Amino acid sequence: MKRRWTRRRFLRNAAISGAVLAQRRRVEAWTARAPEASAGPVLFFDQPAAAWPDALPVGNGRLGAMVFGNPAHERLQLNEETVWDGERRDRSNPQASRTPEVRALLMAGKVHEAEALAAEVMMGVPVRLPVYQTLGDLWLDFEDVPTQISDYRLELDLDRALVTTTFRAGGAHWKREVFSSAPRNVMVARLESSAPMSLTVRLDRPANSQTEAAGNDRLVMTGAARPVNPTTDPLRQERQVGVAFRAEVEAIAEGGVIRAEGNTLRMEKARAVTLLIAAATDYREHNVAGMAAACARRLREAAALPYARLREEHVADYRRYARRCGLQLVDGPDPLGYMATDKRVQRVKEGGEDAGLIATYFHFGRYMLISSSRPGTLPANLQGIWNESLDPPWGSKFTVNINAEMNYWMAENGNLADLHAQLFDLLDATRPAGTETAQRYFKARGFLVNHNTDLWGDAIPVDHVQAGVWPMGAAWMALHLFSHFAYSLDQDFLRERAYPRLKEIAEFFLDYLVDGADGELLSGPSQSPENKYRLPDGTTASLCMSPAMDTEIIRAVFDRVERMSKMLGLDEDLRAQVASAAKRLPPLKIGKTGALQEWNEDYEETEPGHRHISHLFALYPDHQITLRATPELAGAARTALERRLQNGGGSTGWSRAWIVNCWARLEDGEAAYQSLLALLRNSTRPNLFDVCGMKANSPFQIDGNLGGTAGLIEMLLQSHGGVVRLLPALPQAWPAGSFRGLRTRGGLEVDLAWREGKAVSAALRASVDGEVTLAVPAGQQIHSVTRGGSRLALANAGTAQASFRAKAGKEYAVSFA
């Protein structure tokens, strides 16, 4: 029988009907009964998820699940971050030493010959990298859920990291909660009903696993990831190996009977059931015994605690991150807060605007990073940690020509700096393979990573020449090390971690760069990531020498190494070398269209609306191009953005998120806001998941969510160039609002409120001593800065930019005129 869902009808405007008010009261009353009162916001829905991309994510950085909320046949799709097919192996091309021949062909203008040779001598063997796979599925089949369902609600509480499903059926009230506990490293599902319930619990996987019962209350699934779609092509063939895994489910029933039936668990007439899910792999535990012991220990420790304590512990742990900062973009309560999230998203897709939903998007972005990236885990991959496939889009790997870095753009200013270290760990993991690759391909010191890496930190060119040959990945990741220092001013981190890695990258570049005909230092073989240019004869190519992004990244690395060397008083000779080399890099150029050139030559673009805007790296995330220091280049960057958008650019979520950040850096709040709306309208699913495309079936990628969150922050607060800019790109659509807990370079934490488009108050908390320069938008002035009620002397008081000396541990109140 087809299940019938009762749906409440809500008004689409801000007027609130009596029925809506009644619904609000029911929601508020339900929330009030929760042991840990939620401060919101929440995502909620009037029906279960019909497909995997619309389910709701939970995670603790290591163990994740997608919750569907189906009353009779619930599915929890499970992930463990280290379930990858493949293995650590040497994929270096045996002809890698011929790479200089590719460079020579490029410099001689023989581009097609260079690309053909690159395919032969540079690409990895095999050319495919391992991929991230699903752990499996937990199925809950309930026998006594009638077909008539009412008062249904599926909710993700972003203040408690808790997915809750509630409904009424057959006169009974049902409630289910799911969360992933970081303190206990287990997934927890709590099933409750006001009437006795019976259900069957199953645990399985699409392939390469087996499940059996262990006693009457536990299921054990074991197996190993294996490559799918095997090929006979020796250049692509992986061995049929992968990470071994073990997943266990323990059921704790309150009332009723629980027993094993074959490879399932059967519960009858239970009032409540708590399911504990643990998983382990031989990537961390090394062998079968270690995996079994890890699962047993985690389940034993979790089972020793009452459910209420498990949840309380989880919420407190999550809130250590979640409550550090907040954002409100409406004055007072959210006027559309009564409306289900999917309906709000659809309203925006149909041309509406919704500041409250955008604020929720901000909190959801932070939730996703907290849930997929914790200290000691892997960094968030292309899908965070959530993937239902054995062969996911782009392998759900670590793509380092934009995506992995974008995942962490908001780690520092979004007050999640302690989650940034996972990206640094990935960089460290690539050093062994990256060092070998630098030596074999370029006879260079230091290390490199091309456009993708995997669980084992591979570094060679993979997939195909038109994407794989791009030795800038390690450099871009390494620049995040300096970013972490810039926000924290942690001298130990600078000395022990940031400087050593960036020094190695600089050494690679010093050996990698070659003299051009005009005395410039050129990089290559390389490319502007995944893009092509048109040659004078009408043919197209990807490989080139010194694309703009290469030059911008190299210049950024040399700049940071020179500055760090001075700060630490180290390596004077190296400092002189990078300073000299930086002067010989090609300058940024403006092409015949008035746009910033993407290539060192003013080539015609084959795809003017290409998704990558790699040549704008110098605008964002770096700051070599700024409105005030380089106005002509800033204008060329604007033209480049406009041309991309006029030709269909921003067609993926992550691409549009990058564009939001670039408009914010140009302090164009209206353009940034329109791109933010485009992100929601074209590349966001009903559950706020970002998609890599503009079609309904485009695959989920987390980068657009996290990059979009970074863009929101950049619109409200910037701190590059030694100036803290308040509300630098505030659109008219947000006339009133506030944020708290956002961070700046130089060790400040900032709270700010604004009304009628103008800042009205701010609080600054300093973590280190230092000079602070504040700037406000045109039309406002900084009136005063006080500490403990005492007014400070300001340089340039009464202007739009003023400075003062901050002391570590002190808070400062700023007033405006």
Side-chain angles (χ1 to χ4, degrees):
M1 180 181 294
K2 184 178 180 180
R3 192 167 303 278
R4 182 175 63 85
W5 305 103
T6 61
R7 299 173 183 266
R8 299 182 180 88
R9 298 183 179 275
F10 295 113
L11 299 178
R12 285 190 175 272
N13 57 28
I16 303 173
S17 69
V20 170
L21 286 171
Q23 167 65 4
R24 276 188 171 179
R25 293 190 191 103
R26 285 194 292 271
V27 172
E28 290 166 359
W30 177 257
T31 302
R33 288 196 295 270
E36 322 88 1
S38 174
V42 300
L43 279 61
F44 76 92
F45 306 85
D46 297 330
Q47 68 285 321
W52 182 88
D54 296 320
L56 295 180
V58 295
N60 63 9
R62 182 166 289 147
L63 190 60
M66 292 286 280
V67 184
F68 286 66
N70 192 298
H73 301 286
E74 177 62 296
R75 176 190 179 193
L76 274 63
Q77 184 272 316
L78 304 175
N79 286 105
E80 201 281 343
E81 62 166 354
T82 61
V83 177
W84 289 61
D85 73 15
E87 61 189 324
R88 184 193 303 276
R89 64 181 290 185
D90 182 2
R91 291 178 172 80
S92 295
N93 193 300
Q95 300 186 73
S97 62
R98 296 182 63 191
T99 297
E101 296 177 34
V102 178
R103 175 191 287 150
L105 288 170
L106 287 172
M107 296 182 72
K110 299 179 179 181
V111 178
H112 299 306
E113 293 90 336
E115 291 193 334
L117 184 60
E120 179 184 349
V121 307
M122 294 187 70
M123 302 308 295
V125 181
V127 77
R128 172 195 183 272
L129 276 186
V131 307
Y132 177 56
Q133 293 190 347
T134 180
L135 174 62
D137 294 281
L138 180 68
W139 303 91
L140 311 178
D141 299 321
F142 294 84
E143 289 189 357
D144 40 13
V145 178
T147 57
Q148 300 300 313
I149 304 293
S150 64
D151 295 333
Y152 181 91
R153 181 180 174 101
L154 173 63
E155 174 186 288
L156 169 57
D157 187 334
L158 299 178
D159 185 51
R160 298 188 294 169
L162 188 70
V163 170
T164 304
T165 308
T166 57
F167 58 92
R168 290 190 176 277
H173 179 264
W174 297 71
K175 179 180 179 182
R176 300 168 189 168
E177 294 181 334
V178 181
F179 60 88
S180 189
S181 167
R184 300 296 162 183
N185 202 8
V186 295
M187 189 78 63
V188 183
R190 174 74 171 181
L191 319 173
E192 297 178 357
S193 175
S194 60
M197 60 180 163
S198 299
L199 69 148
T200 299
V201 178
R202 297 180 286 125
L203 183 63
D204 62 21
R205 189 174 191 268
N208 303 309
S209 72
Q210 46 281 324
T211 301
E212 59 184 20
N216 282 321
D217 61 354
R218 189 176 297 193
L219 296 178
V220 178
M221 180 176 70
T222 56
R226 292 287 186 267
V228 297
N229 302 321
T231 174
T232 58
D233 182 354
L235 296 180
R236 300 193 66 87
Q237 181 60 50
E238 286 282 343
R239 288 188 280 267
Q240 288 294 306
V241 296
V243 172
F245 57 81
R246 180 184 182 97
E248 297 193 18
V249 180
E250 180 175 346
I252 303 170
E254 297 177 20
V257 176
I258 179 171
R259 66 178 183 275
E261 288 188 355
N263 61 354
T264 70
L265 295 181
R266 170 76 179 161
M267 278 148 273
E268 296 179 348
K269 306 303 179 184
R271 181 181 60 80
V273 176
T274 301
L275 300 175
L276 304 175
I277 303 104
T281 72
D282 65 357
Y283 178 81
R284 296 194 188 280
E285 306 302 336
H286 306 303
N287 54 43
V288 171
M291 291 189 287
C295 287
R297 181 181 67 255
R298 292 164 188 166
L299 292 176
R300 181 176 64 252
E301 293 174 354
L305 298 176
Y307 172 72
R309 175 59 184 150
L310 277 173
R311 184 174 71 169
E312 178 185 1
E313 179 184 64
H314 155 73
V315 171
D317 173 76
Y318 167 75
R319 283 177 173 170
R320 291 189 299 118
Y321 303 98
R323 287 192 168 183
R324 291 176 185 172
C325 71
L327 173 65
Q328 187 170 351
L329 294 176
V330 296
D331 192 3
D334 185 350
L336 297 177
Y338 63 88
M339 187 181 290
T341 304
D342 55 330
K343 295 177 175 62
R344 295 182 76 166
V345 172
Q346 186 60 35
R347 181 177 175 274
V348 173
K349 289 180 181 292
E350 292 172 356
E353 299 182 28
D354 191 338
L357 182 65
I358 290 174
T360 299
Y361 189 92
F362 165 86
H363 290 284
F364 183 62
R366 294 186 76 251
Y367 168 82
M368 293 182 80
L369 186 59
I370 297 167
S371 300
S372 62
S373 182
R374 291 289 191 95
T377 72
L378 298 174
N381 63 41
L382 280 175
Q383 296 183 193
I385 53 171
W386 301 283
N387 163 44
E388 70 166 344
S389 175
L390 299 177
D391 189 20
W394 302 285
S396 197
K397 300 189 288 288
F398 304 110
T399 302
V400 295
N401 67 3
I402 173 61
N403 315 87
E405 293 88 352
M406 180 180 282
N407 286 351
Y408 290 87
W409 281 353
M410 61 96 163
E412 298 296 333
N413 54 13
N415 214 336
L416 295 172
D418 39 356
L419 305 187
H420 209 169
Q422 289 74 272
L423 185 65
F424 310 154
D425 294 341
L426 178 66
L427 176 69
D428 287 348
T430 66
R431 286 180 70 229
T435 299
E436 286 293 321
T437 303
Q439 292 171 348
R440 291 179 180 179
Y441 282 70
F442 299 104
K443 295 183 179 179
R445 297 169 294 166
F447 71 107
L448 68 91
V449 177
N450 281 275
H451 92 298
N452 258 306
T453 189
D454 62 12
L455 179 65
W456 295 278
D458 216 322
I460 45 82
V462 295
D463 296 338
H464 47 80
V465 168
Q466 287 71 29
V469 178
W470 187 75
M472 298 287 136
W476 194 347
M477 285 191 285
L479 287 169
H480 279 246
L481 293 164
F482 187 84
S483 178
H484 181 74
F485 166 73
Y487 278 84
S488 66
L489 300 184
D490 183 337
Q491 296 294 319
D492 290 338
F493 180 85
L494 177 71
R495 180 181 302 103
E496 296 167 9
R497 196 157 195 187
Y499 182 66
R501 292 295 169 270
L502 278 158
K503 175 183 174 181
E504 290 175 313
I505 301 294
E507 289 172 338
F508 167 71
F509 285 145
L510 289 171
D511 293 348
Y512 169 69
L513 292 167
V514 295
D515 291 322
D518 56 2
E520 292 179 339
L521 287 177
L522 304 180
S523 64
S526 190
Q527 63 184 285
S528 190
E530 303 180 30
N531 204 354
K532 293 184 177 183
Y533 57 90
R534 193 176 305 280
L535 290 160
D537 64 2
T539 60
T540 64
S542 297
L543 290 191
C544 62
M545 298 296 292
S546 289
M549 189 185 213
D550 272 27
T551 300
E552 293 163 7
I553 290 176
I554 295 168
R555 182 176 285 115
V557 168
F558 285 169
D559 169 73
R560 278 33 163 207
V561 168
E562 183 180 2
R563 289 160 60 186
M564 290 187 291
S565 170
K566 289 179 181 177
M567 294 177 203
L568 297 171
L570 297 174
D571 300 320
E572 188 174 347
D573 289 345
L574 175 65
R575 189 191 319 159
Q577 291 177 54
V578 297
S580 175
K583 294 175 183 177
R584 295 178 59 199
L585 293 173
L588 296 178
K589 300 174 183 178
I590 300 174
K592 55 182 177 290
T593 65
L596 192 71
Q597 279 186 204
E598 187 163 355
W599 295 275
N600 200 30
E601 304 294 330
D602 196 6
Y603 292 123
E604 180 185 345
E605 300 166 300
T606 62
E607 190 180 345
H610 196 266
R611 61 193 176 275
H612 284 261
I613 50 173
S614 304
H615 50 317
L616 299 186
F617 173 91
L619 175 67
Y620 185 92
D622 209 40
H623 47 271
Q624 297 168 38
I625 297 175
T626 67
L627 280 173
R628 294 163 186 84
T630 59
E632 187 177 7
L633 289 174
R638 170 181 284 275
T639 300
L641 280 174
E642 291 170 344
R643 282 179 54 81
R644 277 291 201 267
L645 293 173
Q646 289 164 2
N647 289 279
S651 59
T652 68
W654 61 261
S655 176
R656 183 62 71 164
W658 195 352
I659 290 168
V660 173
N661 282 278
C662 286
W663 283 128
R665 277 290 172 88
L666 292 172
E667 299 180 22
D668 190 333
E670 301 311 315
Y673 177 64
Q674 290 303 316
S675 275
L676 196 56
L677 287 177
L679 177 61
L680 289 171
R681 289 170 176 163
N682 301 328
S683 299
T684 301
R685 293 191 67 90
N687 63 348
L688 298 188
F689 261 20
D690 169 76
V691 295
C692 187
M694 298 176 67
K695 297 180 180 179
N697 62 348
S698 296
F700 159 62
Q701 279 189 195
I702 198 174
D703 39 25
N705 286 108
L706 304 185
T709 302
L712 267 166
I713 298 172
E714 202 71 17
M715 293 169 73
L716 301 173
L717 182 68
Q718 298 178 17
S719 61
H720 56 281
V723 178
V724 175
R725 299 190 181 279
L726 307 176
L727 306 180
L730 183 70
Q732 294 180 10
W734 305 336
S738 63
F739 63 77
R740 58 175 177 80
L742 298 182
R743 295 176 66 243
T744 75
R745 296 169 181 84
L748 288 179
E749 190 174 285
V750 182
D751 304 343
L752 178 74
W754 69 92
R755 298 289 182 273
E756 298 180 355
K758 296 185 180 297
V760 294
S761 64
L764 313 177
R765 291 173 291 280
S767 62
V768 294
D769 294 350
E771 189 78 9
V772 175
T773 300
L774 292 177
V776 292
Q780 282 203 269
Q781 297 177 352
I782 298 170
H783 179 258
S784 67
V785 176
T786 60
R787 187 185 75 198
S790 299
R791 190 163 177 167
L792 276 63
L794 295 179
N796 302 317
T799 68
Q801 184 166 307
S803 302
F804 67 96
R805 186 77 182 172
K807 295 281 189 180
K810 302 299 182 181
E811 182 167 333
Y812 300 85
V814 184
S815 64
F816 305 91

